[in-house]
Amino acid sequence: MKIIKIILLGMVITCSSACSKFLDIIPDNVPTVDQAFQMRATAKKYLFTCYSYLPPLGSVSDNYTFLGSREIASPYPGSQAPGIPDAIMQLCYDYQNIVKPIANYWDGDNGGVAMFTAMRTCNIFLENIGKVPDIQEAERKRWIAEVKVLKAYYHFLMLRMYGPVPIMKNNIPVSADVEAVKVKRDPVDEVAAYIVQLTDEAVPDLPSVINNQREELGRITVPIALAVKAYALVLNASPLFNGNADYAGLQNKDGQVLVNTTFDKSKWQKAALACHDAIVAANNAGFQLYYFQKPFDLNNISDTTKKCMDIRCAVTEDWNQECIWGFAHSTTTELQRECAPRNDVYSYTYALWAANMNACEIFYTANGVPIEEDIHWDYANRYTKLVTVPATMRSILKPNYTTSYFNMNREYRFYADLAFDGSSYFIKQRPNEDNLLYINTMWGSSSANSLSRYSFTGYWPKKLVSWKTSGDGGSYTADAYLWPAIRLSALYLMYAEALNESEGPSARAYQYIDEVRRRAGLDGVVQSWAAHSRNAAKPSTVEGLRSIIQQETMIEFIFEGENYWNMRRWKRLDLMNRPITGWDVMQRTPAAFYKVRSIYQPRNTYKDFLAPIRQYNLYVNGNLVQNPLW
């Protein structure tokens, strides 16, 4: 028994070691769990071990949702793509499998984090923290609350990836027989309820704000706990798990139904209440949508540039007022190298992460409505028409430059989030609008002279590159910001979604969508559709407003990986199967360059809404059942 316990502890320590650069973990000279909880100092290290399983969402080598979302594409597996494992790129090109699943969070391999090990670590902490003698009771309660929220979050990550999963309320004793270890999957509703239970238990003992910011930023607070609860309830209310007849056959071997196939509107009502509570807690703690605070030496930037910075810096500005939960252990240095085009300043980037042109169609026109609906925008000729950029647009496009109509008269998020031929690239080294950096991607230019360092669509996700990242033509220094795992704008849009699904279009639903749109420089939903859309009444119906909210969400979180999950919970195969398209990038003239070419056509089916469980696990544990069609 002692040997088994030591092995178990060794597994916990080993799986935590990857994050040791950021978090303290159990030191090598603490050989047993009992000794880890003999005093406050070692118990605190174990607390940080519980945090160490948070997925590195800003990492190009670990966050598969960047490429899996179809919003970003990279060269085919096996090509030169520094820093990106083949497994991550394979997921983008539909190579998921059951023998060695990509991004395996069940076991913690092939790009995945070991979530069951994370839950077991949390349970060990909760079982033993009461033994620590030299700790004040208020601090003990706070630590317990933090670990309960972490445990809830780890269950949530598994729920959205696999659907029904075994609930890890307590660790199985090492003395248990073999059959007791063979757990089965628990129904989705029960997993969601357990997440809610953990967060509700935690909230009374958590701080609303972090006062000791130098040492504790990133630790769990009330707004974080309530946001995790809101995310879980919105997921449980969404079409994937709420009345999904496709999963009628997803049952345990004893016949237990794992997904409720009968639609339940009350799930959306509970989700709306949870979103409301999370927003109130966040607002009371001082969180608000981010607006760029101009440094004293940038007083002369235009309103257009300021608006683009409002959008771009909501992601890249550390600990800004919109970031409810930031993952400081998740470095974005390599991410920016992949996303930044080569140019006169950034000459040492990889520049291989290409924005899918087809996905870029999701951005609105400058009038704040979809491009196919805008009565003032030439949708039919968006690809074929070439235009000359007027001088009035110099803050976002190079004056007197020839570009495609596709790039003209789009909303600010289009220009804030994308870099492309003729677009401006506002950076700290070139803040003067009389000397802006413009991107030139015609073949043979500084941005397009090597296939191994070039976007194969003609677009880059500028959104993910900090404006403070610098270079001098011979170097590249990334401003490595922390990853914003939960932003306030997500709660606003989820709240609007839940309100629409539970009570229909309403002033409250419009209010929270319009808050996000206002930051993007757009008029409100009702006003914009009435003035510019072919379907002026669209916001007044549940179906119409649902479409608007989903598109608004897709735009707001494009390139962040969040939409990988949104497409699945909405059951939007049409979005998951968007072809990867781009311009004919190896051309030297606008007439030849601006021709659309198809690069890859995804072929997802409804089996891809959930990830597969590794086949080996089904052999070892006969009580487990596989997800549909895998």
Side-chain angles (χ1 to χ4, degrees):
M1 289 299 104
K2 290 181 179 178
I3 293 174
I4 293 174
K5 290 177 182 177
I6 292 172
I7 291 173
L8 177 62
L9 179 61
M11 291 171 61
V12 172
I13 296 173
T14 300
C15 291
S16 303
S17 62
C19 297
S20 60
K21 292 181 181 178
F22 168 64
L23 296 170
D24 290 326
I25 61 172
I26 303 171
D28 292 337
N29 61 350
V30 179
T32 69
V33 168
D34 288 339
Q35 287 177 312
F37 292 93
Q38 281 185 348
M39 54 185 174
R40 177 185 178 276
T42 52
K44 188 174 184 180
K45 291 179 184 294
Y46 209 105
L47 168 67
F48 292 155
T49 303
C50 295
Y51 274 93
S52 71
Y53 296 94
L54 292 173
L57 298 181
S59 168
V60 298
S61 61
D62 295 293
N63 188 355
Y64 58 94
T65 63
F66 284 133
L67 298 179
S69 68
R70 315 291 187 196
E71 296 166 341
I72 298 174
S74 194
Y76 289 96
S79 63
Q80 295 298 313
I84 311 175
D86 271 358
I88 299 299
M89 290 197 294
Q90 286 169 354
L91 190 64
C92 180
Y93 293 105
D94 302 319
Y95 289 178
Q96 185 61 284
N97 65 95
I98 62 174
V99 176
K100 190 178 181 181
I102 300 166
N104 182 1
Y105 273 52
W106 196 284
D107 301 303
D109 64 6
N110 210 19
V113 181
M115 284 294 104
F116 286 120
T117 303
M119 297 173 199
R120 185 165 61 245
T121 304
C122 291
N123 283 339
I124 291 172
F125 180 91
L126 295 172
E127 291 164 0
N128 290 277
I129 187 60
K131 300 175 183 177
V132 182
D134 59 333
I135 183 174
Q136 294 184 356
E137 194 58 30
E139 186 173 50
R140 190 196 315 269
K141 288 182 177 180
R142 178 188 173 186
W143 290 7
I144 290 171
E146 288 180 67
V147 172
K148 284 184 175 180
V149 175
L150 288 170
K151 187 178 170 185
Y153 184 64
Y154 297 144
H155 276 86
F156 165 73
L157 294 179
M158 292 294 280
L159 177 64
R160 71 178 182 179
M161 177 177 281
Y162 296 101
V165 293
I167 296 173
M168 295 288 288
K169 290 185 178 180
N170 302 291
N171 286 342
I172 300 172
V174 293
S175 59
D177 60 32
V178 174
E179 290 304 313
V181 177
K182 294 182 178 180
V183 296
K184 63 179 185 177
R185 302 172 72 174
D186 288 300
V188 165
D189 288 349
E190 293 183 16
V191 179
Y194 185 58
I195 295 169
V196 170
Q197 175 190 329
L198 288 172
T199 52
D200 285 347
E201 289 174 358
V203 164
D205 296 317
L206 290 171
S208 293
V209 296
I210 296 296
N211 292 318
N212 184 3
Q213 295 190 359
R214 186 175 67 86
E215 296 182 4
E216 295 186 349
L217 278 176
R219 299 263 300 266
I220 305 291
T221 60
V222 171
I224 292 172
L226 292 178
V228 170
K229 176 181 176 179
Y231 266 89
L233 288 178
V234 167
L235 173 62
N236 194 39
S238 297
L240 183 61
F241 296 139
N242 190 3
N244 187 356
D246 292 336
Y247 289 160
L250 182 52
Q251 303 177 3
N252 280 326
K253 292 185 178 180
D254 59 6
Q256 183 182 28
V257 175
L258 296 177
V259 177
N260 192 339
T261 58
T262 302
F263 175 74
D264 182 357
K265 181 179 284 191
S266 70
K267 288 185 176 183
W268 279 115
Q269 294 167 344
K270 293 175 183 176
L273 180 60
C275 290
H276 172 267
D277 291 345
I279 289 170
V280 170
N283 291 160
N284 289 342
F287 293 101
Q288 54 188 301
L289 294 188
Y290 176 83
Y291 285 86
F292 183 61
Q293 304 300 312
K294 293 189 293 186
F296 72 92
D297 55 343
L298 291 183
N299 289 330
N300 294 325
I301 65 172
S302 68
D303 291 341
T304 295
T305 298
K306 165 68 167 57
K307 182 52 62 181
C308 288
M309 295 295 280
D310 290 345
I311 297 159
R312 186 174 166 193
C313 293
V315 172
T316 63
E317 192 71 19
D318 272 352
W319 301 116
N320 67 70
Q321 63 264 36
E322 186 174 333
C323 178
I324 294 175
W325 198 8
F327 287 2
H329 70 303
S330 187
T331 177
T332 56
T333 298
E334 293 304 297
L335 175 65
Q336 295 184 68
R337 283 188 181 275
E338 295 289 357
C339 296
R342 287 195 162 194
N343 52 64
D344 294 338
V345 177
Y346 299 159
S347 61
Y348 278 81
T349 66
Y350 301 146
L352 279 167
W353 275 23
N356 179 4
M357 182 177 171
N358 188 279
C360 296
E361 293 215 350
I362 201 78
F363 288 101
Y364 296 138
T365 68
N367 294 320
V369 298
I371 58 176
E372 69 274 15
E373 292 184 29
D374 195 324
I375 58 178
H376 311 289
W377 202 79
D378 191 359
Y379 178 76
N381 296 307
R382 66 194 184 281
Y383 296 144
T384 57
K385 183 189 295 187
L386 297 182
V387 295
T388 301
V389 177
T392 55
M393 297 184 70
R394 71 169 189 164
S395 296
I396 49 180
L397 294 174
K398 187 174 182 178
N400 303 313
Y401 198 75
T402 300
T403 189
S404 167
Y405 186 80
F406 184 81
N407 298 328
M408 295 293 292
N409 302 316
R410 304 297 290 271
E411 60 162 312
Y412 286 112
R413 285 177 292 196
F414 183 88
Y415 303 108
D417 294 352
L418 293 169
F420 51 91
D421 188 54
S423 69
S424 68
Y425 211 96
F426 187 83
I427 57 175
K428 190 174 183 179
Q429 290 173 265
R430 298 275 288 272
N432 188 330
E433 301 216 358
D434 291 325
N435 186 33
L436 286 176
L437 176 64
Y438 294 104
I439 304 301
N440 184 346
T441 64
M442 294 294 167
W443 191 250
S445 69
S446 59
S447 298
N449 54 25
S450 170
L451 284 176
S452 64
R453 296 289 187 273
Y454 185 52
S455 162
F456 64 172
T457 68
Y459 292 88
W460 286 270
K462 179 171 64 175
K463 177 183 190 176
L464 301 180
V465 182
S466 169
W467 74 288
K468 290 178 281 189
T469 285
S470 61
D472 62 7
S475 67
Y476 179 85
T477 305
D479 174 50
Y481 56 91
L482 63 89
W483 188 255
I486 297 179
R487 294 203 280 130
L488 182 62
S489 54
L491 292 179
Y492 281 6
L493 292 172
M494 288 194 302
Y495 186 35
E497 180 183 358
L499 287 172
N500 182 55
E501 298 297 339
S502 60
E503 61 186 47
S506 65
R508 278 199 305 167
Y510 298 144
Q511 173 189 346
Y512 284 92
I513 309 169
D514 290 350
E515 283 291 322
V516 176
R517 290 172 63 86
R518 184 176 300 111
R519 194 257 300 278
L522 300 174
D523 291 332
V525 167
V526 175
Q527 180 182 351
S528 295
W529 259 258
H532 306 289
S533 174
R534 291 183 174 86
N535 185 5
K538 188 175 181 179
S540 65
T541 67
V542 172
E543 295 77 11
L545 188 56
R546 178 187 300 140
S547 175
I548 291 170
I549 292 170
Q550 290 184 1
Q551 183 157 353
E552 194 72 45
T553 301
M554 295 289 291
I555 296 170
E556 183 65 20
F557 292 94
I558 195 169
F559 307 139
E560 296 179 45
E562 189 76 12
N563 288 330
Y564 178 91
W565 305 110
N566 288 327
M567 290 185 288
R568 282 157 174 76
R569 71 179 180 86
W570 294 329
K571 296 182 63 180
R572 291 290 303 272
L573 272 176
D574 59 320
L575 294 175
M576 293 168 62
N577 283 324
R578 287 179 300 196
I580 296 172
T581 63
W583 299 120
D584 193 354
V585 295
M586 294 183 66
Q587 303 299 325
R588 298 175 182 269
T589 65
F593 181 93
Y594 288 115
K595 294 184 183 298
V596 180
R597 63 192 184 99
S598 179
I599 299 169
Y600 180 73
Q601 175 59 62
R603 290 174 175 81
N604 290 128
T605 69
Y606 91 83
K607 79 172 184 177
D608 296 292
F609 292 146
L610 296 177
I613 300 170
R614 187 167 60 142
Q615 188 67 38
Y616 175 78
N617 293 332
L618 304 182
Y619 293 148
V620 173
N621 181 359
N623 289 330
L624 287 178
V625 294
Q626 183 62 276
N627 278 326
L629 295 185
W630 286 105

